[in-house]
Structures are given as C-alpha cells and as structure tokens.
Amino acid sequence: MAYYIEKGCIGCHYCELECPAGAIYIRQGFNQIDQDKCIGCGECVDRCNLDLIRSTEPAPAPEPHEPTILTCELLVMGAGGVGTGAAARAADRGIDTILIEAAKHYGGGTWFAHGGQFPGAKNYYAKLGKEADIEPQVQFWLRNQKNGYKNMDKLRSNIAANGEFLDWFDALDPRNTAPFAPGKPGTPMPFDMSQRHINGKSNDDSIGPGWMGSWITQRLFETAIEKGIRYYNLTRAVEFLTENGSVVAVRATDPGGEKIIYAKAFLLGTGGYIMNDERMKAIDPDMIRDDPVATYLRLNVPTNRGDGHEMVEKLGSPVDYGSGGTRGPTHHPWSYAVNMMLMNPEALYVDENGSRCFELSNEGMGGGAPMHGPNCLASEVILRQRSGLCYLLMDSEMLELFGGRIRPLDNGRECPWRDEVEAECALEDVPGRKADTIPALAEKLGMDPAVLQATVDRFNALCAAGNDEDFGKDPEHMKPIETGPFYAFAVRNFDNGASRGGISIDEDFRVLRLDGTPIPGVYASGDAATYSWTENVGPVGLCGGLAGSWASGYHIAELAKTYIES
C-alpha cells in the first residue's frame, strides 16, 4: 500500500518532517509523495489535519443509513475556533449541545494559525502581577472606524469579552495557558514554541500546526467532549428547516446518509468560501489558475467552501461574495530562511520578465515584517503575472546581510540559512536560482538577460546617486547588486481565508434578513460572517483575528443561553 496527496495541501511540513522513509518532498509549491520511497506505513495520514492523504487502494464504501433524527438545545456547525469556543462554553454552562464538522478532523483554519490578543483578561494578568487595561484597544478600534462609532459601552464590552474568554480558559485548567509567554497586556500574546505540542520538528513559523491556534482549539475541543457534548465529524450542514417562518432544524449529510438536527439555537462557524474556486474566480479570475503554482496559496481547509453562506441565502438573507483579495509576497512553503529574508527593507523585487516591480519597504514595515493588505501593490503585481510569481533578487553581500539578521529557530539553534539557500538553488523546482552573473541568472529564470541586466544597472545607478526616483526606496536601505554569485527566489501570493465578506450579522452576531432584522436564534461568526476592522459592521471590537474566533464563540454561547431560556 502506498499513499498520495490530493489537491489542497498548504505545506505545513508536518507529514514531510515525520515521514520515516523521507518520501515526502515539496514540488510545485505543495507536498508530494515519492511512490518509490513510500513504505506504506500511514504515518503521514495521521499527521494531515486536512485529510488530504489517500491510499492508492480503493476505500470501502460507507455504510448507508436511514435519516437520523437528533435534538439538542444548541447546534454548532463547524469545529474551528468559533465552534470549539462555543461548544466548550455551552457545555460548561449546561447547554445540551451538538457540534458537527464537515471535515474528518476538527480545528478548521484555526488549527494552522498563531498570534492573538486578549485585552481585558483581568484575572489572568493579575496572577502575573499585571493590570489588564482595555483602553489602548478601545482607542485602536475608534481610530480605525472610518464612519465613527458611538456605542462606547458596547465597544468596551466587546473588547473586554476577549479577556473574559482567556480568564475562563485559564480557570478551567492552568495548564491551558502554560505555553503562553505574555508581555504587555493588550499586545499579541507570544507562544513559547519550546512547548509546541505537535509538529515539533518544524521551525517554520509562517504556519502551524503546533502554534497557539491548534493548542487552544485542541484544549477547547477536549473540554467540550469531557463536558458531554455530542460530536459528529464528516457531517456537512446543508440547509435550515423552518416551521411557520421559524428556523427549527438543520439538514446535514454524512457519508452514509442524512441527519436532521432539531435545536433551539444555531451557530454557523462554517468558515469562509476561500476554497470555493468558482466564488474566488468571480472576485478575480487571476486568483485561480490551471497551474497550481500560479494559483495563489490558500492557507485554509478544503471544507471552507461557503456552506453556511448558501444555507442563509436559502432563507433569503443577504450574503456578500464580492469581497476578497490576496496578500503577498511569501516564500512559503519553501525555505524558512528565505521567507525571513523577504522582510528586509533592502530587498529588491523583479517581476517574471526581470523588471523592477514594487517596493515593499514603502508599503509598511512593522516589527521587521511587511504589512500586507488585500490587493496591496505587491500582491496586485504578483497576481497579474502569468506565472503567479515575482522574485527576490540578491547578490552575495546582500545574502550575507539578510542571513545574519535571521533570529534563532524555535529550538534556540541558529538557522542554517546557508544550507537552506544552497539546497533550494540545487532543486529543479521553482523556488531558487543561483548564477555567477546576472545574464546567467536570467537564463535560469527564463528571463531576457538584457532586461534583467538593465534592471540591475539602473538600480545600482540609483544607489550610487542616493535617490530612488523610480520607486522611492529610502536611501538608507539602498544597497547595490554587484557581487556574485547572484540569487533569485520566487515569491507568491497567499491568503489565510480571513473573511472579507460573508453572512450579514448584527452587533450581537445574529444573522440578518434582507430587511435588516435578525433571525431569532441563528448566529454566525468567524470567517463565515461579515465584519470589518475599519467600518461599523457587526460586533465591533469582538470580531476578526485568532483570539476573536474563540472569544466570539464563547460570547455567543452566553447569548444563546439567554435566548434558549427566554
């Protein structure tokens, strides 16, 4: 028996690093299995949270069953951050809860995410001798609301809810927060990677699992199970069922048939629609290509296809499919070292033809990292390339400069960046090329040597003049490309599926009808819902981001309890 990897791999490295035969490698930007090396042990199958690794032998047909009728008080659809947060809190509050998940594994996109802020966690920070002050976050949200925001009590309550979640999570079991390495309250919560619970061989901090996302989600899921929820995986919510105009149940499908689940309240934590090719093509045809490398990298789970969106559409509720975008550049899933080099303000980028194409340092460098936005200049340029790629161009002096800035790995060791660079340049794949001259490098990249040489000559002349009149790079960061050997590394676009559009909700997460009134007992959050960091849309201060997924689920469980009891 051997195995292969289906379309949808996001290059998390887990299976690759755990394969005892060394049979898994990255080609064309995704993990693949060398059939000649595969020993059929199945170790990789257990590591893939996306359930994309299949046996070459046919799978047995599922056992068919008659429709199953279930009842509960709260039905939670989607076992990602929102769903596990809601299910765990609901079970803790004595609510009879069913949690269903379309995929084989729980976790959703949250499983691969990291970083989060928990302002207002008074009890947690008090244990550390610190004060949890939410006012900096209040001012942050106010500054970013283009249309203003007047309900200050609601804003403060929403922001504090992030901290209330963490206080509760810590109170459940102090081990829950053991891997946290907190700094100043209200700033992103660092995660001690030496305590990574899974995927411990990976030092690529561009994506989990093993970071905060999988840690908290796993602990929440285990809490929900321990407290008695009923959980059904491989169960996809399909449509709401109504009686006399009220939502009373959900029809769901599983491999053997259907489930009809009656409930008093419903939560859609079904994720976004980033993995729905047709939806994304409708936003911009260049996002989805026949070439997998030319298609932007979607760092999310295959089941995020907009199931919840289609369900509320059938109820006549509005759904925004017109928003979306790409971010970039990234070098993932190739070398971690090169991905870190992209962040340097001296970096020079050229397009697939060899012409200078954007100046990333002018798009905002925060904390040493590029600040990417939907359809920012860099991602827009990359998106319009036929290959879906641009290139980071360096000489040997710049390579040494960038390599010397790479921080130690999660295990405390120095990053072997020289080895990673040379290994990439030796591959026949797209990630890196090395040559003694610029024309020779251009030939390896399939570019016109005269064009790339002219680009380098022009940039070097601007460096000598100390004035980048073409792209406005700060003179302090202008470093000529002069000393061979020369290097070029492919960069591409990506997105993690964070919602920029979706199901319309009010400030209490209730799904809205076309007339703007809420549907009683039906809630949505996370990437399934429409919210905004900059406009007065949805639950301002308690939406978006990793922490917001768990905290909103926690908060919705409280809202649902009040609704159910009423």
Side-chain angles (χ1 to χ4, degrees):
M1 179 185 295
Y3 295 89
Y4 66 95
I5 301 176
E6 291 187 333
K7 176 185 175 182
C9 171
I10 60 177
C12 75
H13 306 299
Y14 199 7
C15 66
E16 172 193 358
L17 294 171
E18 296 291 339
C19 177
I24 301 178
Y25 61 100
I26 294 176
R27 178 62 57 87
Q28 295 297 306
F30 304 96
N31 281 322
Q32 299 183 28
I33 298 176
D34 187 331
Q35 298 300 307
D36 293 331
K37 293 183 178 180
C38 179
I39 59 176
C41 66
E43 190 79 15
C44 55
V45 177
D46 296 333
R47 298 295 185 270
C48 183
N49 212 66
L50 301 182
D51 190 32
L52 293 175
I53 301 181
R54 298 279 183 266
S55 168
T56 53
E57 296 182 2
E63 188 73 25
H65 64 79
E66 294 297 318
T68 303
I69 307 299
L70 302 169
T71 61
C72 62
E73 291 182 304
L74 174 63
L75 172 60
V76 179
M77 292 160 275
V82 172
T84 54
R89 180 58 175 172
D92 190 45
R93 296 283 276 152
I95 302 173
D96 180 17
T97 303
I98 290 178
L99 173 64
I100 64 174
E101 168 56 51
K104 180 179 180 180
H105 301 285
Y106 68 90
T110 307
W111 195 256
F112 303 94
H114 53 85
Q117 297 187 33
F118 303 94
K122 298 178 181 178
N123 298 336
Y124 174 76
Y125 281 111
K127 292 197 312 182
L128 306 175
K130 300 178 180 181
E131 183 179 353
D133 181 11
I134 68 170
E135 285 308 308
Q137 282 295 306
V138 170
Q139 296 306 313
F140 166 82
W141 281 94
L142 286 177
R143 286 194 305 270
N144 283 280
Q145 295 302 300
K146 295 178 182 178
N147 300 322
Y149 191 80
K150 304 299 183 184
N151 192 346
M152 295 303 299
D153 288 342
K154 184 67 173 178
L155 177 60
R156 287 191 170 89
S157 174
N158 283 346
I159 292 173
N162 292 277
E164 290 166 9
F165 161 77
L166 187 65
D167 281 343
W168 168 75
F169 185 64
D170 180 61
L172 284 173
D173 187 338
R175 291 175 296 180
N176 285 345
T177 55
F180 296 176
K184 183 180 179 182
T187 60
M189 180 76 73
F191 190 80
D192 183 357
M193 296 307 294
S194 67
Q195 298 192 51
R196 182 183 283 202
H197 62 301
I198 54 175
N199 199 21
K201 295 180 181 178
S202 175
N203 285 301
D204 184 348
D205 68 357
S206 63
I207 189 172
W211 282 64
M212 182 182 288
S214 54
W215 171 260
I216 294 182
T217 301
Q218 178 175 322
R219 301 290 286 189
L220 288 171
F221 179 81
E222 291 169 349
T223 296
I225 296 297
E226 290 168 3
K227 291 183 178 291
I229 73 157
R230 287 169 283 168
Y231 173 63
Y232 302 94
N233 67 342
L234 295 174
T235 301
R236 175 179 172 241
V238 175
E239 67 174 333
F240 286 111
L241 304 181
T242 61
E243 291 182 3
N244 300 319
S246 297
V247 175
V248 296
V250 162
R251 182 172 69 88
T253 60
D254 60 35
E258 289 188 346
K259 291 182 176 71
I260 306 298
I261 308 172
Y262 288 87
K264 297 179 180 179
F266 305 84
L267 168 57
L268 291 164
T270 46
Y273 49 85
I274 188 174
M275 303 307 290
N276 187 318
D277 286 357
E278 294 308 311
R279 294 291 187 196
M280 300 314 293
K281 281 182 180 179
I283 295 172
D284 193 316
D286 284 340
M287 288 184 180
I288 309 299
R289 314 279 189 91
D290 293 335
D291 181 349
V293 176
T295 295
Y296 80 116
L297 180 62
R298 292 175 282 179
L299 299 176
N300 217 299
V301 295
T303 49
N304 273 13
R305 298 181 53 81
D307 291 347
H309 303 63
E310 294 177 3
M311 291 173 66
V312 301
E313 276 188 307
K314 293 176 183 177
L315 293 177
S317 293
V319 175
D320 174 16
Y321 288 114
S323 301
T326 60
R327 297 189 279 178
T330 185
H331 191 66
H332 182 80
W334 297 297
S335 162
Y336 161 77
V338 174
N339 210 38
M340 294 298 100
M341 291 180 185
L342 307 186
M343 302 178 180
N344 289 277
E346 297 90 351
L348 180 67
Y349 290 93
V350 298
D351 63 19
E352 62 189 2
N353 298 314
S355 298
R356 194 176 175 194
C357 52
F358 54 78
E359 180 48 55
L360 196 63
S361 65
N362 290 341
E363 295 182 22
M365 306 289 287
M371 304 297 289
H372 317 301
N375 289 327
C376 68
L377 176 61
S379 63
E380 180 69 18
V381 171
I382 297 170
L383 185 64
R384 303 309 168 200
Q385 305 300 301
R386 295 185 304 276
S387 62
L389 301 173
C390 287
Y391 293 88
L392 168 65
L393 189 65
M394 296 184 288
D395 68 358
S396 57
E397 291 187 7
M398 194 176 291
L399 180 70
E400 290 290 326
L401 175 66
F402 292 176
R405 292 174 177 169
I406 298 175
R407 62 179 180 269
L409 301 175
D410 298 337
N411 58 17
R413 297 178 182 176
E414 293 298 314
C415 177
W417 58 268
R418 291 186 180 86
D419 294 339
E420 288 191 18
V421 164
E422 294 302 323
E424 281 213 349
C425 292
L427 295 175
E428 296 179 1
D429 205 353
V430 297
R433 294 290 184 266
K434 173 185 176 181
D436 290 330
T437 66
I438 292 297
L441 183 65
E443 291 181 357
K444 290 186 176 183
L445 296 169
M447 299 175 182
D448 184 337
V451 172
L452 186 61
Q453 185 65 65
T455 297
V456 172
D457 290 344
R458 171 63 178 171
F459 180 70
N460 289 347
L462 295 173
C463 291
N467 179 23
D468 184 6
E469 59 186 59
D470 292 347
F471 284 82
K473 183 189 283 286
D474 189 322
E476 180 183 353
H477 300 144
M478 297 180 69
K479 184 173 176 56
I481 309 291
E482 297 177 325
T483 307
F486 302 94
Y487 300 83
F489 295 97
V491 297
R492 62 196 302 201
N493 276 336
F494 75 100
D495 196 19
N496 60 5
S499 180
R500 285 186 289 276
I503 300 168
S504 295
I505 58 174
D506 68 6
E507 62 181 5
D508 288 317
F509 297 97
R510 297 177 297 184
V511 175
L512 299 175
R513 301 184 179 96
L514 277 173
D515 63 5
T517 60
I519 302 175
V522 180
Y523 305 89
S525 186
D527 290 345
T530 295
Y531 59 83
S532 174
W533 295 92
T534 59
E535 299 176 9
N536 186 0
V537 176
V540 177
L542 184 54
C543 60
L546 186 56
S549 66
W550 301 307
S552 64
Y554 168 93
H555 188 62
I556 291 168
E558 294 295 325
L559 296 173
K561 181 175 178 60
T562 300
Y563 174 78
I564 291 167
E565 291 177 346
S566 68

